[in-house]
């Protein structure tokens, strides 16, 4: 896969993740998650600019493939529109409008929550794989993404090792959230 294709794939994956986070921030009226969507949207803008610059440069070098490069630009713009829509959803939460009665009714019926937790240096999670921890067995929480040094690991697998300083984004039952947060911050010392 060439660099342009890799960047486009990253753009697509990030926009899909942003939609999940944006809806979750709205559903649970969670401003921390909404702020993460806004952060990702800024990252998407930078990546989109890089894709545009690279596409224009490649188009100048290979004018016979200009039609292909136009398709790439259109795809990039469509994905950027999705990211902008996710940021608009998150903005509803950040402006305090997430308390709408219809949204609150759906929250009351939901038994699932989404949480963000930063793994502390003394957390028992640090340097363990998701498979070793078996979080879903112990507390019902399922890690859907890991933020590490402003980069994301989407849909981490059982072999993914958690590092101190990682921010875990997990979904699961409300009754498991406190235990999950305690594991990450280091106040819970056993699985």
């Amino acid at each position: 896969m060439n660099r342009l294709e890799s960047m486009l794939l990253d753009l697509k994956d990030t926009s899909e993740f942003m939609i999940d986070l944006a809806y979750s921030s709205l559903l649970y009226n969670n401003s921390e998650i909404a702020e993460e969507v806004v952060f990702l949207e800024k990252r998407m803008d930078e990546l989109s600019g890089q894709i545009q610059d690279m596409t224009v440069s490649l188009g100048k070098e290979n004018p016979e493939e200009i039609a292909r490069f136009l398709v790439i630009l259109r795809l990039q713009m469509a994905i950027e529109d999705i990211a902008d829509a996710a940021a608009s959803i998150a903005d509803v939460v950040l402006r305090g409008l997430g308390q709408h009665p219809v949204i609150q009714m759906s929250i009351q019926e939901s038994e699932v929550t989404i949480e963000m937790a930063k793994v502390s240096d003394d957390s028992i999670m640090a340097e363990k794989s998701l498979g070793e921890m078996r979080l879903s067995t112990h507390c019902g929480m399922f890690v859907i993404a890991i933020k590490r040094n402003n980069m994301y690991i989407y849909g981490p697998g059982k072999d993914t090792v958690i590092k101190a300083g990682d921010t875990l984004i997990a979904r699961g039952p409300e009754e498991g959230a406190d235990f999950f947060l305690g594991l990450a911050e280091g106040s819970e010392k056993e699985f």
Side-chain angles (χ1 to χ4, degrees):
M1 178 183 317
N2 68 37
R3 179 157 158 65
L4 185 58
E5 290 170 343
S6 177
M7 291 168 64
L8 210 56
L9 184 60
D10 187 27
L11 197 73
K12 178 200 75 77
D13 289 346
T14 303
S15 70
E16 290 173 353
F17 181 57
M18 287 175 66
I19 291 293
D20 286 346
L21 286 183
Y23 279 123
S24 295
S25 74
L26 184 62
L27 184 61
Y28 304 113
N29 197 32
N30 186 318
S31 60
E32 185 180 22
I33 302 280
E35 288 170 1
E36 197 65 25
V37 173
V38 171
F39 170 81
L40 284 169
E41 203 278 327
K42 290 176 184 166
R43 182 172 169 249
M44 292 283 285
D45 288 344
E46 292 171 13
L47 187 55
S48 288
Q50 292 172 6
I51 289 170
Q52 289 174 0
D53 291 346
M54 185 179 285
T55 303
V56 168
S57 177
L58 289 170
K60 287 178 182 177
E61 293 171 13
N62 304 296
E64 69 281 356
E65 293 197 39
I66 200 73
R68 182 175 149 234
F69 294 124
L70 281 173
V71 170
I72 290 171
L73 285 175
R74 286 185 183 140
L75 183 58
Q76 172 270 316
M77 289 186 290
I79 294 169
E80 181 67 23
D81 287 345
I82 293 168
D84 290 344
S88 294
I89 293 168
D91 186 56
V92 169
V93 174
L94 294 174
R95 287 187 293 132
L97 304 174
Q99 295 288 352
H100 190 278
V102 172
I103 295 170
Q104 291 305 306
M105 283 176 22
S106 67
I107 292 170
Q108 290 170 357
E109 294 178 19
S110 176
E111 296 175 7
V112 176
T113 187
I114 189 164
E115 298 290 339
M116 287 182 67
K118 187 165 186 169
V119 178
S120 70
D121 291 335
D122 61 341
S123 169
I124 64 169
M125 298 173 114
E127 301 307 319
K128 288 192 173 55
S129 71
L130 289 173
E132 284 178 83
M133 290 187 282
R134 298 186 355 234
L135 285 175
S136 60
T137 301
H138 295 294
C139 62
M141 298 299 285
F142 180 75
V143 177
I144 59 174
I146 300 168
K147 181 180 179 184
R148 181 177 292 158
N149 301 325
N150 289 332
M151 298 301 291
Y152 286 84
I153 301 169
Y154 304 111
K158 66 180 181 172
D159 296 327
T160 304
V161 175
I162 303 303
K163 307 279 184 193
D166 285 352
T167 298
L168 308 179
I169 302 169
R171 183 181 293 148
E174 288 183 13
E175 54 272 7
D178 287 338
F179 182 66
F180 167 74
L181 294 170
L183 287 170
E185 70 184 20
S187 61
E188 292 287 346
K189 299 295 183 187
E190 305 181 0
F191 289 107

